[in-house]
């Protein structure tokens, strides 16, 4: 019946649409006026038709996304209590973040390891401690977010040294099922373009493969952050799966044998201390992009995460944002609903193609580690961040309540629980670190001075 219904309509070819638009432009050039080119060089057209389809098949998770609650471990008993409470209130995944060793038996007490997906993010490297945790958890549902190259890129130093770090990671690889996580969020939060994020993440994964062998590909997972460019962030995650599968096939490994896990959270890059409730709107659309992009796990950030310690209210709001999306807004099985979108397929293909070009340049130049040591990656990201800062300062890039429609009566003091600004560290480093920085920091500092 539906086929007969649609047979009654005459299709309009793209050339006819363009001709009509050209008439309406009254002599102005179609390409100059209606084609939008992003900072990555991606061309966005005013309309798309089935002729724009690429018909690229991209693997998407079969199961619904996990709702993850972040827990920073400062007290073992309290961390356990918070984890159990988060599970009780709707989360089915926990990310434990620790700056030092803790008692895993206390922290994990009462957690159903077969139900909950657990992520462990440590700011240290200890293979024996990782083994201790691995014995207490379900291997299939446990992911260690260990990234020695990411740590080097972010801090400018190895945990100990190149040789020792790789030897420790080698022992962890032999013990754990999911030990390596590529920190793609570092590039995003430092100001890299989407194309750069994709290329650097792929090159970073390839460094591990080159060192440990293609056999570890199934032990690598990925940690992304997404911004507020709704459709482009969806396309970013999908483009990465396409690139990762392409790399594996180049190593003659079937991508169907590799289970690719993507952990995603909202970016900190566009978050603000002024008009901070707008952060909830930003994180909502960002979580939607993360889900539609095919993330396995989504960990939302609370609206006050950049300047306040973890608190019950902020955690409840951030968790409920995901629960509403999953249970009330139709996103429970949304990983594949963007398939067939003419627009998205075109953007995905462009992202992948441009990122692959950069990846090839990096590999031709000796790989990501060499490029980091020479400072080329840092320089490229710094240039991209500077362009973004210029757009923000000239209001081409708008953060409502910060550089547009400011609330002049809003008073913010310097008494933050957490420092929301980048601070200089007087540490000797072996490479230039890649620094995470929010777009609004400089403007916020000026407003704070004015309020004093």
């Amino acid at each position: 019946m539906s086929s007969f219904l649609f047979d009654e309509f005459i299709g309009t070819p793209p050339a006819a649409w363009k001709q009509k638009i050209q008439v309406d432009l009254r002599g102005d050039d179609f390409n100059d006026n209606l084609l939008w080119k992003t900072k990555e060089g991606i061309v966005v057209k005013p309309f798309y038709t089935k002729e724009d389809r690429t018909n690229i098949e991209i693997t998407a998770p079969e199961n619904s996304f996990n709702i993850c609650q972040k827990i920073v471990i400062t007290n073992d008993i309290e961390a356990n209590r918070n984890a159990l409470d988060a599970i009780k209130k709707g989360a089915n995944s926990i990310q434990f973040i620790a700056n030092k060793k803790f008692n895993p038996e206390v922290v994990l007490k009462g957690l159903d390891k077969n139900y909950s997906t657990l992520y462990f993010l440590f700011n240290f490297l200890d293979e024996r401690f990782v083994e201790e945790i691995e014995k207490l958890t379900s291997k299939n549902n446990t992911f260690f977010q260990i990234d020695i190259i990411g740590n080097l890129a972010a801090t400018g130093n190895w945990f100990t040294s190149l040789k020792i770090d790789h030897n420790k990671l080698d022992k962890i690889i032999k013990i754990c099922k999911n030990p390596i996580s590529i920190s793609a969020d570092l590039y995003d939060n430092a100001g890299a373009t989407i194309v750069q994020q994709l290329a650097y993440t792929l090159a970073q994964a390839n460094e591990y493969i080159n060192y440990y062998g293609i056999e570890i590909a199934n032990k690598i997972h990925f940690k992304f952050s997404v911004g507020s460019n709704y459709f482009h962030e969806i396309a970013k995650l999908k483009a990465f799966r396409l690139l990762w599968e392409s790399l594996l096939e180049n190593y003659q490994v079937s991508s169907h044998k590799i289970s690719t896990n993507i952990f995603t959270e909202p970016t900190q890059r566009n978050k603000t201390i002024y008009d901070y409730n707008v952060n909830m709107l930003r994180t909502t659309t960002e979580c939607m992009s993360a889900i539609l992009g095919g993330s396995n796990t989504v960990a939302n950030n609370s609206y006050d995460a950049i300047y306040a310690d973890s608190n019950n209210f902020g955690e409840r709001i951030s968790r409920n944002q995901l629960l509403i999306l999953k249970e009330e807004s139709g996103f429970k099985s949304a990983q594949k609903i963007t398939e067939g979108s003419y627009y998205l397929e075109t953007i995905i293909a462009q992202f992948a193609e441009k990122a692959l070009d950069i990846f090839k340049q990096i590999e031709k130049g000796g790989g990501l580690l060499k490029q980091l040591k020479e400072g080329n990656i840092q320089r490229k990201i710094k240039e991209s961040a500077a362009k973004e800062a210029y757009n923000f300062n000239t209001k081409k890039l708008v953060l409502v309540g910060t550089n547009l429609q400011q609330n002049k009566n809003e008073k913010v003091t310097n008494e933050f629980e957490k420092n929301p600004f980048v601070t200089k560290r007087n540490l000797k480093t072996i490479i230039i670190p890649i620094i995470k920085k929010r777009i609004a920091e400089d403007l916020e500092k000026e407003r704070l001075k004015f309020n004093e």
Side-chain angles (χ1 to χ4, degrees):
M1 180 178 178
S2 60
S3 61
F4 289 117
L5 173 65
F6 286 106
D7 284 344
E8 295 180 9
F9 295 91
I10 300 174
T12 304
W17 281 113
K18 187 174 180 180
Q19 185 178 22
K20 173 59 178 172
I21 293 169
Q22 191 67 63
V23 171
D24 291 342
L25 286 172
R26 298 179 181 179
D28 287 341
D29 186 73
F30 176 88
N31 292 341
D32 291 343
N33 287 273
L34 294 182
L35 294 186
W36 169 47
K37 202 169 187 178
T38 71
K39 59 186 178 182
E40 296 97 347
I42 303 300
V43 177
V44 180
K45 301 193 298 184
F47 70 93
Y48 292 85
T49 67
K50 62 182 180 181
E51 281 75 10
D52 293 297
R53 289 208 63 182
T54 60
N55 296 310
I56 299 172
E57 292 187 11
I58 301 174
T59 305
E62 293 297 328
N63 300 320
S64 183
F65 69 97
N66 295 317
I67 296 176
C68 184
Q69 182 73 61
K70 296 183 177 184
I71 295 177
V72 179
I73 302 176
T74 55
N75 178 284
D76 295 358
I77 295 175
E78 185 178 338
N80 174 256
R81 184 167 57 245
N82 291 339
L84 293 173
D85 184 62
I87 296 296
K88 181 180 178 181
K89 293 178 178 177
N92 62 341
S93 176
I94 301 292
Q95 182 195 39
F96 289 110
I97 304 170
N99 295 317
K100 60 181 181 179
K101 290 195 290 185
F102 53 86
N103 188 331
E105 291 187 354
V106 173
V107 170
L108 300 174
K109 184 179 180 181
L111 282 175
D112 186 344
K113 288 86 175 181
N114 294 314
Y115 167 76
S116 304
T117 303
L118 303 178
Y119 292 85
F120 294 91
L121 177 60
F122 304 145
N123 293 316
F124 57 91
L125 187 63
D126 189 317
E127 70 276 23
R128 293 180 181 176
F129 185 59
V130 170
E131 183 178 11
E132 185 180 353
I133 294 174
E134 181 82 353
K135 289 178 179 179
L136 295 172
T137 59
S138 167
K139 288 190 175 185
N140 291 330
N141 294 342
T142 301
F143 296 84
F144 291 93
Q145 295 176 316
I146 299 171
D147 186 2
I148 58 175
I149 298 174
N151 179 74
L152 171 69
T155 67
N157 290 312
W158 297 101
F159 285 106
T160 307
S161 69
L162 184 151
K163 183 177 180 180
I164 293 175
D165 283 13
H166 279 84
N167 287 342
K168 285 186 175 183
L169 184 56
D170 184 48
K171 294 176 182 177
I172 293 172
I173 289 170
K174 293 174 181 176
I175 297 166
C176 301
K177 184 175 181 179
N178 303 299
I180 301 174
S181 174
I182 309 299
S183 306
D185 58 313
L186 171 63
Y187 305 120
D188 170 67
N189 283 296
T193 66
I194 287 177
V195 171
Q196 288 173 333
Q197 293 170 45
L198 292 170
Y200 300 159
T201 303
L202 192 66
Q204 194 166 321
N206 200 41
E207 286 287 340
Y208 286 110
I209 292 173
N210 287 334
Y211 193 93
Y212 294 107
I214 188 59
E215 296 78 17
I216 67 150
N218 204 31
K219 292 177 177 280
I220 297 175
H221 48 108
F222 302 89
K223 181 171 175 279
F224 278 89
S225 59
V226 291
S228 293
N229 193 330
Y230 187 70
F231 290 107
H232 285 206
E233 294 295 342
I234 296 172
K236 177 175 79 176
L237 297 177
K238 288 183 172 290
F240 182 76
R241 284 191 183 273
L242 187 64
L243 287 165
W244 179 235
E245 289 175 3
S246 177
L247 180 65
L248 294 177
E249 288 171 4
N250 191 60
Y251 281 103
Q252 299 181 334
V253 173
S254 173
S255 58
H256 297 292
K257 296 181 180 180
I258 303 295
S259 177
T260 304
N261 186 283
I262 293 181
F263 176 102
T264 311
E265 61 186 356
T267 185
Q268 292 185 359
R269 179 95 177 137
N270 63 1
K271 302 307 179 290
T272 59
I273 61 175
Y274 284 94
D275 214 349
Y276 51 79
N277 286 322
V278 179
N279 290 335
M280 280 189 278
L281 302 179
R282 296 176 182 129
T283 56
T284 298
T285 66
E286 288 159 4
C287 287
M288 290 166 67
S289 293
I291 298 165
L292 294 174
S295 300
N296 299 83
T297 299
V298 181
N300 193 13
N301 295 325
S302 63
Y303 69 96
D304 57 355
I306 59 173
Y307 63 84
D309 291 332
S310 176
N311 58 83
N312 289 332
F313 181 77
E315 289 176 359
R316 178 168 63 86
I317 294 297
S318 63
R319 184 171 58 248
N320 285 350
Q321 286 173 264
L322 289 172
L323 283 168
I324 290 170
L325 288 173
K326 188 172 187 177
E327 304 297 342
E328 299 181 25
S329 303
F331 281 76
K332 189 170 186 176
S333 302
Q335 291 90 334
K336 297 182 181 181
I337 66 174
T338 61
E339 291 180 1
S341 166
Y342 308 151
Y343 172 47
L344 276 176
E345 285 195 8
T346 304
I347 300 302
I348 290 167
Q350 290 186 72
F351 276 150
E353 182 180 358
K354 290 183 178 295
L356 189 59
D357 287 340
I358 296 177
F359 170 77
K360 289 178 179 177
Q361 292 172 18
I362 292 171
E363 294 304 305
K364 188 176 180 180
L368 185 80
L369 268 178
K370 185 178 179 183
Q371 294 295 303
L372 283 170
K373 291 174 182 176
E374 293 176 356
N376 295 328
I377 303 295
Q378 298 90 322
R379 176 174 53 81
K380 293 288 186 181
I381 294 176
K382 191 174 181 180
E383 289 172 357
S384 299
K387 290 178 183 178
E388 194 171 41
Y390 173 80
N391 288 337
F392 174 76
N393 292 332
T394 56
K395 297 184 180 179
K396 294 179 181 178
L397 171 62
V398 170
L399 294 182
V400 175
T402 300
N403 68 338
L404 186 70
Q405 296 180 335
Q406 294 180 358
N407 180 359
K408 302 297 183 181
N409 297 320
E410 183 180 13
K411 302 295 181 183
V412 175
T413 68
N414 280 310
E415 297 178 2
F416 301 108
E417 293 175 347
K418 286 163 49 178
N419 185 3
F421 304 115
V422 172
T423 55
K424 290 186 177 181
R425 300 174 301 164
N426 295 318
L427 296 175
K428 185 177 180 180
T429 60
I430 59 175
I431 68 166
I432 301 170
I434 297 173
I435 305 298
K436 296 180 182 180
K437 184 180 180 181
R438 293 181 300 107
I439 303 169
E441 285 195 25
D442 294 337
L443 177 59
E444 289 173 344
K445 287 179 181 179
E446 291 299 317
R447 291 183 68 180
L448 285 172
K449 288 180 183 177
F450 182 78
N451 289 339
E452 289 178 353

